[in-house]
Amino acid sequence: MYCPACHAVDTKVVDSRLADDGTAVRRRRSCPECQHRFTTFERVEEVPLVVQKSDGRRELFDRTKIIRGVGAASKGRPVTAAAIAALAESVEDQLRVEGPLVTSARVGTLVLDGLRELDEVLYLRFASVYKNFDAAADFDRELRLLHKFSSVPADSDV
């Protein structure tokens, strides 16, 4: 690391500490040439997550789109903003493991999977928009699919 004061090639680390909730390392450095002290931060460089849309366009992943969409569907439901943010973060974490390029269909599937666990009514509301429901039969089909993945029998009074 070059000294910002005298541009000497070699500097010494005096102290290292975790910073930003453990996502960075803060280092205090000293230049043996001019005794100038300065601070550097070391962070992991994240590879951007890109979503490929169904029409072929590509755009950067935006967690706030998930939060807005789920938030709109959650009106009147007992779901907290923190739970929605946690769902969006979980989806992003799963996508990052899969690689730097994901499809919008994969994003939607992961959101629906998370909503299935979070709130069934919220799941159906989100699915009705995401899957473009246009008839009652669409709700019936999705409700049967939901019951297939849950512990509640399809013929019970839910």
Side-chain angles (χ1 to χ4, degrees):
M1 164 93 5
Y2 289 100
C3 173
C6 73
H7 302 291
V9 177
D10 191 28
T11 59
K12 302 291 181 206
V13 174
V14 177
D15 181 42
S16 291
R17 296 182 186 172
L18 290 179
D20 296 335
D21 297 327
T23 60
V25 177
R26 177 185 177 270
R27 299 194 194 282
R28 284 293 293 159
R29 295 179 176 269
S30 176
C31 176
E33 298 289 325
C34 69
Q35 274 53 49
H36 178 71
R37 287 183 172 239
F38 59 100
T39 303
T40 60
F41 289 89
E42 183 179 313
R43 291 181 176 82
V44 172
E45 185 178 353
E46 288 190 7
V47 176
L49 184 59
V50 178
V51 178
Q52 182 161 356
K53 303 293 207 165
S54 56
D55 65 2
R57 289 180 301 119
R58 292 181 179 189
E59 64 181 50
L60 291 177
F61 176 81
D62 184 1
R63 185 188 317 174
T64 60
K65 286 185 173 184
I66 295 173
I67 293 170
R68 277 195 316 264
V70 173
S74 70
K75 298 273 191 265
R77 296 299 304 155
V79 177
T80 65
I84 294 171
L87 169 69
E89 185 174 350
S90 172
V91 168
E92 183 176 3
D93 291 346
Q94 291 176 63
L95 292 171
R96 287 199 182 279
V97 168
E98 293 177 16
L101 179 64
V102 295
T103 64
S104 57
R106 182 66 180 141
V107 175
T109 300
L110 289 175
V111 170
L112 285 172
D113 289 347
L115 290 175
R116 186 179 296 119
E117 300 296 320
L118 186 61
D119 184 274
E120 291 181 345
V121 173
L122 179 51
Y123 168 88
L124 281 173
R125 286 180 180 176
F126 188 86
S128 71
V129 174
Y130 179 71
K131 295 183 177 184
N132 294 322
F133 289 6
D134 58 4
D138 295 331
F139 282 95
D140 185 51
R141 181 194 71 240
E142 198 66 34
L143 193 55
R144 290 184 188 284
L145 185 63
L146 179 63
H147 285 299
K148 181 179 174 182
F149 288 105
S150 72
S151 59
V152 179
D155 60 345
S156 70
D157 294 329
V158 180

